[in-house]
Amino acid sequence: MRSYLIIIVLFSTIFLLEAQETYIDNFGTVSYANNDGTANWAGNWAEIEPFATDDDPFGGFIRITGNRLRFSFIFAGDEQIQRTADLTGAATATLSFDWETFSLEAGETIDVQISSTGGAPFTTLASFGNGVNTTDTFTQDISGFISANTTIRFINTNNDWNQGNDRFFVDNLQIETFVNMAPVITVSGDQHFCPNATNSILVVQTVSITDVDDTELDQVTIQVSTGYQNGQDVLTLTGVHPNITDSWDVVEGRLTLTGPTTLAEFEAAVLAVEFSSTPPVVTGLREFSVVLGSPLFLPETGHYYEFVPSLGIRWDDARDEAALRTFFGLQGYLTTLTSAIEATFAGSQITGTGWIGASDNFGTGEGEWRWETGPEAGTVFWNGNQTGAVAPGEFAFWNNNEPNDCCSGTNGEENYAHITDNTIGIENSWNDLPITGGGGAYQAQGYIVEYGGLPGDPVLQISGVTRLRISCSVITNRSKTYRVNN
């Protein structure tokens, strides 16, 4: 019997996200740049008022005095102050501060508001004053506003404060976040396999799933991420797993295991997944990505990908929405496809045609195609129209006679890249379209988000890879035919 080396796929570094972070300003120093917590604010306090003392913690109607932020004699809507914190990756967030109202009459109020975009719209969390003068502590869950631009604002939206001794004070302002620690998976499996119409093989030989702050998991996906043969290759969950629902997606080549259930039950299910393939079987390497979550994993890049359906979405809206998405602390961006393997993977195994992160609208002129998102942002990969050329060392996969800047009514409007519908031209290839997309088969079905490779991304171990080497030899003598492993 021939034995084979089992390769255990491990990451050298496991990054555990801190369970708790705090953004604090105790106003102990007369400065709008104070950082008194364990995490730094995204910027300073920004003060807006119609007088020369704008953005001045030392003077004006909004200032820091007596180790507190003070509001005095302010006009409705004219004076306000705000500060932003990057809460990306947080599971929950709580805002708290000490406050005091003094000599505020009926109709004289100050509002605390919040925004997840860094600007409008703002949501009012509470109003203070209106003839009630007291001292207290405000605390509220703001988990619904978690983003990279979570912004807290104090503003008077009611009557003018007409008396010089009208006062509102804020102290010990804090945003406390809890970051759910990412689970960890390790898998092993490197085997040879000679498939036929009746046999199958387990794709994972050992698995371990751990999580320091959770005992259950919602979902695990197993995908044929390399070498997938649509229509022949199949992943099947065998055995009885009462708390897990399985679903096979033939386009993505992915088996989804859905709970929630315990980590041990997911481990048992992963070990029970079998691969089979019906003739004609294509020999070569099959890689299987086991991911704790729904995005797909590509071993060649080490990145995660997901298609977000959004019929008719504009390219710029897709870009902005992708940037707001996160996956276990990894920042999302409109995908950048920089190799044939990545382009084929995105085009063939991510359901739906849609926008990718390329444009020729932001460079030096028409025909200079560059990546506008992700780690490659600013990189020129193509120069010219359909007769142009790929930039040295770069990659492009345009459809026949693309990019042609065609048929949008006015030349120069087709400035945004889109994966072409598979009924048109070269499968998985790209087309240039106007920012609003096209009609019929050229209409955007959504966009592809990629996670990984950006500065500040955590190092995670939420996926593992196993391999099957598909290889058969046929030996024939006078009476029998044998199919054997190479």
Side-chain angles (χ1 to χ4, degrees), residues 398-421:
W398 295 109
N399 206 338
N400 296 323
N401 301 315
E402 303 291 350
N404 58 11
D405 198 29
C406 169
C407 313
S408 57
T410 304
N411 287 339
E413 288 186 2
E414 290 197 334
N415 298 322
Y416 305 91
H418 176 273
I419 295 181
T420 315
D421 186 89

Side-chain angles (χ1 to χ4, degrees), residues 254-309:
R254 174 169 66 162
L255 181 68
T256 301
L257 308 177
T258 303
T261 190
T262 64
L263 305 182
E265 287 184 271
F266 270 113
E267 288 176 336
V270 169
L271 289 173
V273 173
E274 292 185 342
F275 169 81
S276 60
S277 189
T278 56
V281 177
V282 177
T283 61
L285 179 68
R286 301 288 195 281
E287 289 186 309
F288 304 91
S289 299
V290 187
V291 180
L292 303 180
S294 59
L296 309 181
F297 179 73
L298 182 60
E300 282 73 13
T301 63
H303 294 181
Y304 300 85
Y305 306 78
E306 67 175 334
F307 176 76
V308 179

Side-chain angles (χ1 to χ4, degrees), residues 366-380:
E366 175 68 29
E368 185 181 77
W369 284 89
R370 61 178 64 203
W371 297 112
E372 305 295 344
T373 57
E376 294 80 19
T379 301
V380 175

Side-chain angles (χ1 to χ4, degrees), residues 151-171:
T151 301
I152 308 299
R153 178 170 79 171
F154 292 93
I155 183 172
N156 173 22
T157 60
N158 206 332
N159 296 337
D160 296 341
W161 298 7
N162 295 316
Q163 304 298 320
N165 60 345
D166 297 334
R167 297 285 191 274
F168 175 70
F169 298 95
V170 174
D171 198 9

